[in-house]
């Protein structure tokens, strides 16, 4: 049986915050601290350390996180495989996904899902995170997959997978020799970003704010409604862009775009499942399990 203390540790390790871990698991912060202390006592090593006001994983904590995530994946696969022994999966599944998720993550997953469960009819709405959440509230979709940082009242969110936002440029452009940029230098670079309502833009805004940078301080030369449009703009200009790393895998592999590192700064966010009911419908739950197992 899965050790709840490991679930608490994973939540704390991913958020680097006992407060956020407590909120995520619907338990108290003292309970989080208690579970972490029990694990540290059991393994006789510290799992977290504080650097100023920041919480960081120790080497032992990093090792435990990797092991705990492997165990959690094993339990999810066990539960999922056993559930398939009891009933047939069929019906209609109406999905809504933010643009990045719909373009780069869901197509191969949906291909595997529909091959595995031919009795399920799937449709998918692709729009920005804000509109996907509105579609859920109107009842026009059953499940959303969004990239926004904020949480809308009345909806329920759970982790799909983590993501990283990276700064990209064309190899032969004005910044071909730039390997990294400081937060201050970033404000001077010509940037092309997503439109208002985009989960990617919200994640960028939130991540930069944590380093004292406001969106209004950036030199934004263009706003575009799709990541594909942004990538094409960057390939034909000296502008740079901040995009999900999953959206530029092919371009990086083919050498038409390159990553420029952030100095002392990481922009991360989570792709999340979102549904209207606290307990999602059975078919919705089946799809979430399938996506997390990565079958």
């Amino acid at each position: 049986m899965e050790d709840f203390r490991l679930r608490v540790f994973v939540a704390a390790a991913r958020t680097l915050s006992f407060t956020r871990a407590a909120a995520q698991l619907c338990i108290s912060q003292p309970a989080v601290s208690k579970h972490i202390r029990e694990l540290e006592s059991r393994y006789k090593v510290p799992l977290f350390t504080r650097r100023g006001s920041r919480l960081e994983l120790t080497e032992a904590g990093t090792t435990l996180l990797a092991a705990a995530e492997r165990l959690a994946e094993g339990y999810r696969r066990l539960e999922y495989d056993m559930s398939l022994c009891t009933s047939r999966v069929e019906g209609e599944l109406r999905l809504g996904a933010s643009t990045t998720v719909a373009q780069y993550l869901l197509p191969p997953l949906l291909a595997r899902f529909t091959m595995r469960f031919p009795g399920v009819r799937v449709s998918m709405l692709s729009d920005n995170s804000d509109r996907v959440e509105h579609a859920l509230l109107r009842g026009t979709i059953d499940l959303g997959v969004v990239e926004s940082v904020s949480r809308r009242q009345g909806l329920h969110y759970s982790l799909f997978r983590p993501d990283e936002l990276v700064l990209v440029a064309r190899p032969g452009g004005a910044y071909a020799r730039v390997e990294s940029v400081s937060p201050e230098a970033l404000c001077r670079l010509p940037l092309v970003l997503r439109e208002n309502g985009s989960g990617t833009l919200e994640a960028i805004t939130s991540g930069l704010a944590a380093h004292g940078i406001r969106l209004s301080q950036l030199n934004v030369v263009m706003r575009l409604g799709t990541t594909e449009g942004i990538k094409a703009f960057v390939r034909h200009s000296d502008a740079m862009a901040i995009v999900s790393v999953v959206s530029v895998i092919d371009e990086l592999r083919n050498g038409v775009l390159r990553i420029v590192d952030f100095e002392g700064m990481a922009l991360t966010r989570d792709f999340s499942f979102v549904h209207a009911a606290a307990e999602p419908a059975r078919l919705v739950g089946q799809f979430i399990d399938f996506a997390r197992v990565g079958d």
Side-chain angles (χ1 to χ4, degrees):
M1 183 175 293
E2 186 178 3
D3 189 336
F4 184 70
R5 292 175 300 181
L6 288 179
R7 285 186 58 195
V8 173
F9 167 73
V10 169
R14 284 174 174 166
T15 61
L16 292 178
S17 167
F18 286 7
T19 301
R20 288 197 291 271
Q24 190 177 103
L25 296 171
C26 298
I27 60 177
S28 67
Q29 185 173 334
V32 171
S33 300
K34 174 179 176 291
H35 288 305
I36 299 300
R37 285 197 303 271
E38 288 177 355
L39 287 172
E40 290 177 329
S41 176
R42 175 178 178 180
Y43 295 115
K44 299 179 174 57
V45 288
L47 299 173
F48 294 93
T49 186
R50 286 200 173 273
R51 189 183 298 274
S53 61
R54 294 182 57 192
L55 196 65
E56 295 182 356
L57 282 172
T58 63
E59 183 177 352
T62 301
T63 299
L64 181 60
L65 177 60
E69 289 181 328
R70 288 194 300 269
L71 284 171
E73 182 180 351
Y75 280 116
R76 285 195 299 270
R77 182 174 290 275
L78 171 63
E79 294 293 329
Y80 178 71
D81 287 344
M82 293 307 296
S83 73
L84 295 182
C85 297
T86 61
S87 58
R88 183 178 176 184
V89 179
E90 57 185 1
E92 181 180 5
L93 179 63
R94 302 171 302 167
L95 297 176
S98 58
T99 310
T100 300
V101 177
Q103 285 183 315
Y104 307 107
L105 290 180
L106 284 190
L109 177 63
L110 288 174
R112 296 193 298 272
F113 183 77
T114 53
M115 287 181 66
R116 179 75 179 272
F117 307 113
V120 178
R121 303 179 305 279
V122 181
S123 61
M124 184 173 69
L125 162 76
S126 175
D127 213 322
N128 65 37
S129 294
D130 182 64
R131 290 172 182 160
V132 168
E133 290 169 335
H134 273 101
L136 266 176
L137 292 171
R138 292 194 305 271
T140 56
I141 60 174
D142 306 308
L143 175 68
V145 191
V146 298
E147 54 200 84
S148 56
V149 176
S150 62
R151 296 293 182 257
R152 189 180 297 274
Q153 188 174 2
L155 296 178
H156 303 270
Y157 298 78
S158 61
L159 177 68
F160 173 26
R161 56 172 287 179
D163 183 41
E164 181 182 6
L165 298 168
V166 295
L167 182 66
V168 295
R170 68 184 179 100
Y175 301 99
R177 296 178 180 273
V178 176
E179 296 297 328
S180 63
V181 297
S182 65
E184 295 78 16
L186 179 65
C187 295
R188 299 190 293 272
L189 297 173
L191 294 173
V192 53
L193 298 178
R194 286 287 303 275
E195 81 290 359
N196 290 331
S198 158
T200 296
L201 183 66
E202 183 185 354
I204 291 169
T205 303
S206 176
L208 293 179
H211 296 273
I213 301 173
R214 299 187 305 276
L215 199 64
S216 61
Q217 293 176 268
L218 301 180
N219 177 22
V220 180
V221 298
M222 180 68 67
R223 295 284 191 95
L224 293 172
T226 67
T227 301
E228 287 298 309
I230 287 175
K231 291 190 296 183
F233 189 98
V234 172
R235 290 198 305 269
H236 295 89
S237 74
D238 285 329
M240 304 173 81
I242 303 174
V243 295
S244 166
V245 70
V246 303
S247 72
V248 289
I249 291 174
D250 288 342
E251 287 79 7
L252 296 174
R253 185 182 295 121
N254 297 332
V256 297
L257 290 177
R258 55 186 289 270
I259 289 178
V260 178
D261 291 330
F262 294 117
E263 293 177 7
M265 180 172 67
L267 297 182
T268 60
R269 48 105 179 258
D270 290 334
F271 294 127
S272 299
F273 293 114
V274 53
H275 42 86
E279 290 296 327
R282 179 175 168 275
L283 183 55
V284 170
Q286 290 278 14
F287 179 78
I288 290 173
D289 291 341
F290 183 93
R292 284 178 174 160
V293 169
D295 204 326

